[in-house]
Amino acid sequence: MSRQMTGAEMVVTALEDQGVDTIFGYPGGAVLPIYDALFGHQSVKHVLVRHEQGAGHAAEGYARSSGKVGVLLVTSGPGATNAVTALTDALLDSIPLVCITGQVPTHLIGSDAFQECDTTGITRHCTKHNYLVRRVEDLPRILHEAFWVASHGRPGPVVIDIPKDVQFATGTYVGPQNIVHKTYQPRVKGEMDRIRHAVALMAAAKRPVFYTGGGVINAGPEASALLRELVGLTNFPITSTLMGLGSYPASGENWLGMLGMHGTYEANHAMHDCDLMIAVGARFDDRITGRLDAFSPGSTKIHIDIDPSSINKVVKVDLGIVGDCAFVLEDMVRLWRSEGHGADRAALAEWWGRIDGWRKRNSLGFANSTSVIKPQHAIRRLHELTKDRDTYITTEVGQHQMWAAQHYGFEKPNRWMTSGGLGTMGYGLPAAIGVQMAHPDALVIDVAGEASILMNMQEMSTALQYRLPVKIFILNNSYMGMVRQWQELLHGSRYSESYSEALPDFVKLAEAYGGVGIRCEDPAELDAAILRMIDTPKAVIFDCVVEREENCFPMIPSGKAHNEMLLPTGIDDWGAPDLGAVIDEKGKMLV
């Protein structure tokens, strides 16, 4: 149905028509007409953040946990530029966002007017698509098209830059009807001949492995269900990237753990020694491949991805299948069943025997302590005490992020929100706010470092204003931990500017915002403190003081291959000597 309204009213009406119930934003002069239109609409809830970067990350958390498009609304100039980090983060991690920005009136564009910037020029390379709306007649189409582009094909962020005079202008609004993009038509169904070829390669494989990524989660819960079914049918081992955690359950018998720079010994060695790699919704990121010329040198590689530009972009593959993971996996399952395929059981048994040998290295083992909290132990206790609840985990970026990925077992998709491609410090708290808005009754925990959390700590105010009981679980080692680790191992222990001096009292800081602060440094008191955090019906900052110089292992050093991993020193959880590489005080491998 078409009707007359202002451009600002069109924006709010389009949000309603697209099923948007929550947006994140910060008002300013160039976007006030839209805020005025929002005032009379109760169906769209606006969350006032304290920084536009926070709006973007909150929208990411909302989108990643709900499967919907996240929406942010910011003003022109600094409002738009403050959102650039979050837009880039969403582009690299394939998160569907629509970012609506205000702009100076059309007749002032290019005149260096107050709070003017070239938003479309600035965001061209950090968005999937962007628009500058110069006529109110084009606004309804662009609004609906933006949601379609953001959510179809490989998801990503879309910017709509709306000048102030267009917001005031009156035009005819038309609802979403058969919305498509004229030139962007992603393929969702894979070519059947290629899928049949892939299934034949799988049936003939001796040492196969599934390598899965965030694309499986982006394809919806049905894709994860089909992946689990295919793994069960084939009995192939499966590993995942950081972004793909939860698409296959961590408790599953075929699970090898995460792969890559801080992946498990068994996952990385299986990737290196496999004869068939089935990459599903992954993009061969450098943190996964290690040294490219030594990446899985003896394997035939199948790559399934909805983005055709990802095929052969980083690693040359033998069989590329362009299509949505859910559709391709559905065809694979159907063909495997209907054509009577079966794996080579003898070869697969031998392959699992090798994998079990790698598993015995206990690469995630660590020497626990009764005098100081080990960060790995803190994450394992957090997992144990929250695994039976409806729990969502976000993270900041650093060692704590990797420890959470390694030691918190994810059983379901969309429960793990982290900044993968861009590695954005300050992501976790606003993302947790977005997750909590999408799932008000869930337990939402931001696993943080004491350095990262300060990047967007102001969003604690947002959490308290909207009575969001998010939990910030800080692994406080008084260092920028990952920076310190690299300085130790690669730069002769020269800790240049990585020590976090003048840290706040996090308990008092939580209380200053109106939240609850908890501090724990005794391993014997950890469980009780975590349970107190969980049971507190308000936002909590938990200052968990951990071993200062603990390193995050396993680790593939920069420029090394998957079979050149560094493993932890000392003893493993069971008290047995670790069989991995020993590192001396200068960071060199002794064994």
Side-chain angles (χ1 to χ4, degrees), residues 42-59:
Q42 301 303 315
S43 59
V44 179
K45 183 174 182 60
H46 180 277
V47 177
L48 178 65
V49 297
R50 299 315 192 255
H51 191 285
E52 291 87 355
Q53 182 185 348
H57 294 323

Side-chain angles (χ1 to χ4, degrees), residues 366-367 372-376 399 403 450 475-489 492-496 498-500 544-553 555 568-569 583-586:
F366 60 97
V372 64
I373 299 173
K374 292 287 187 172
Q376 305 95 321
Q399 284 179 319
W403 281 317
E450 83 291 333
L475 299 182
N476 185 349
N477 58 13
S478 298
Y479 278 104
M480 286 177 264
M482 194 62 82
V483 173
R484 186 210 57 77
Q485 177 170 333
W486 280 56
Q487 288 175 333
E488 176 188 338
L489 300 181
S493 297
R494 293 182 293 277
Y495 302 132
S496 178
S498 56
Y499 181 65
S500 299
C544 185
V545 181
V546 298
E547 174 70 57
R548 281 194 171 189
E549 296 187 349
E550 189 78 5
N551 284 331
C552 184
F553 290 117
M555 177 182 175
T569 61
I583 306 170
D584 70 8
E585 68 278 2
K586 296 182 180 179

